[in-house]
Amino acid sequence: MRLEGKKAIVTGGAGGIGRATSLAFAAEGASVAVVDLNADAAAAVAEEIRAAGGTAIAVAADVSSEPDIERVIAAVVSQFGGIDVVFNNAGIIRRTTAVETSVEEWDRVFGVNVRAIFLMCKHVVPIMAAAGGGSIVNTGSGWGLKGGGQAISYCASKGAVVNMTRALAIDHGPQGIRVNSVNPGDVDTGMLRDEARQLGQDQAGFLAEAADRPLQRMGQPSEIAAAVVWLASDDSSYVTGSALVVDGGGIA
Ligand code: NAI
């Protein structure tokens, strides 16, 4: 029970990696707020946790909206009495080059992938600092470190996540707040399947390509969740500002 008594927020908590991490946090003893744009799916994950004997609430929110972030934080503080852990994980991808990307799409990707993390930290850091510290984990991507094709807004946004994480770690380390990014390679979730659709590619072929790496398979959401549990817990007490890569060797 590495997160016994901790109060945690997971954004994008209804999706592949977010759901797996919400379940893993709860299994380690945390109370979990499952935050997602998809209200029904978030409620289902919270119910799954409660059915297994854990503590969870669902909060429907658009994390790119400041009023929504403030509402999420108020709900979690009022229900759980504080916030020790935040997993900023909600994200979207558009598989387009610069030429193909509209300004609106660019802004939406940055709104969900980057501004949301800024907004969450802006409002949660004072709460964590007043309580003596906390752990924030942000979902970057292998493509935030090395780039990738036909995903200009996504690659730029995830690069911003990695470096914003370092900046947050520098600013708030003295307050006892650790901030790290987890950077997955291809993980078997709805997002990966949607990428095949956006690119007009055959799904089976696309997923086979995703397995082309030293460990010869895609990652499973639970394997990202395991890394996030470690970063969230006191087991990683001297780790901050790091970009942890969990990708089956795709970057090597
Ligand atoms: P997913 O599509 O299964 O889950 C994303 C979740 O975020 C969904 O439940 C969606 O409803 C939610 N969401 C989207 N916009 C939102 C908003 N404005 N406010 C609140 N919630 C919102 O995708 P997956 O794969 O679980 O992605 C999670 C994170 O992992 C994302 O940040 C993604 O960029 C990142 N990632 C995923 C990889 C993969 O191969 N699946 C690889 C590298 C990074």
Side-chain angles (χ1 to χ4, degrees):
M1 297 293 257
R2 289 175 290 167
L3 298 173
E4 181 84 64
K6 303 280 191 199
K7 296 129 185 158
I9 293 176
V10 177
T11 75
I17 293 170
R19 171 181 167 274
T21 305
S22 296
L23 299 179
F25 277 4
E28 294 286 350
S31 300
V32 183
V34 181
V35 177
D36 206 285
L37 202 53
N38 185 334
D40 290 346
V45 173
E47 184 49 41
E48 198 177 346
I49 290 171
R50 288 192 296 268
T55 304
I57 58 169
V59 189
D62 177 348
V63 290
S64 69
S65 145
E66 188 169 28
D68 277 23
I69 289 287
E70 290 182 279
R71 183 170 52 77
V72 166
I73 290 173
V76 176
V77 168
S78 104
Q79 300 258 341
F80 294 163
I83 302 169
D84 306 296
V85 171
V86 175
F87 182 32
N88 285 308
N89 164 73
I92 56 173
I93 192 166
R94 294 288 176 267
R95 293 302 310 264
T96 50
T97 65
V99 175
E100 298 158 350
T101 303
S102 70
V103 171
E104 291 72 25
E105 283 173 331
W106 175 276
D107 287 345
R108 184 62 185 155
V109 168
F110 266 73
V112 178
N113 295 4
V114 182
R115 185 175 63 209
I117 298 180
F118 150 68
L119 288 172
M120 182 65 86
C121 292
K122 177 178 170 63
H123 292 286
V124 95
V125 160
I127 294 168
M128 286 183 169
S135 176
I136 298 171
V137 184
N138 301 323
T139 306
S141 166
W143 280 11
L145 296 162
K146 66 173 182 178
Q150 287 178 279
I152 188 74
S153 56
Y154 184 80
C155 292
S157 74
K158 292 300 187 176
V161 171
V162 171
N163 213 32
M164 175 164 56
T165 299
R166 297 188 184 113
L168 287 159
I170 291 165
D171 283 341
H172 303 299
Q175 296 162 300
I177 301 169
R178 297 185 300 107
V179 192
N180 294 286
S181 64
V182 65
N183 295 274
D186 287 330
V187 181
D188 191 2
T189 69
M191 177 179 279
L192 206 60
R193 287 171 165 68
D194 188 50
E195 285 179 58
R197 186 192 58 75
Q198 289 187 35
L199 291 165
Q201 288 184 14
D202 164 60
Q203 200 177 84
F206 186 81
L207 295 180
E209 239 174 73
D212 182 17
R213 57 192 64 235
L215 292 185
Q216 303 199 304
R217 60 178 178 83
M218 287 183 285
Q220 291 303 314
S222 60
E223 294 177 296
I224 310 304
V228 180
V229 166
W230 181 71
L231 287 172
S233 78
D234 294 341
D235 283 357
S236 60
S237 53
Y238 198 53
V239 180
T240 196
S242 77
L244 178 60
V245 176
V246 186
D247 72 344
I251 279 173

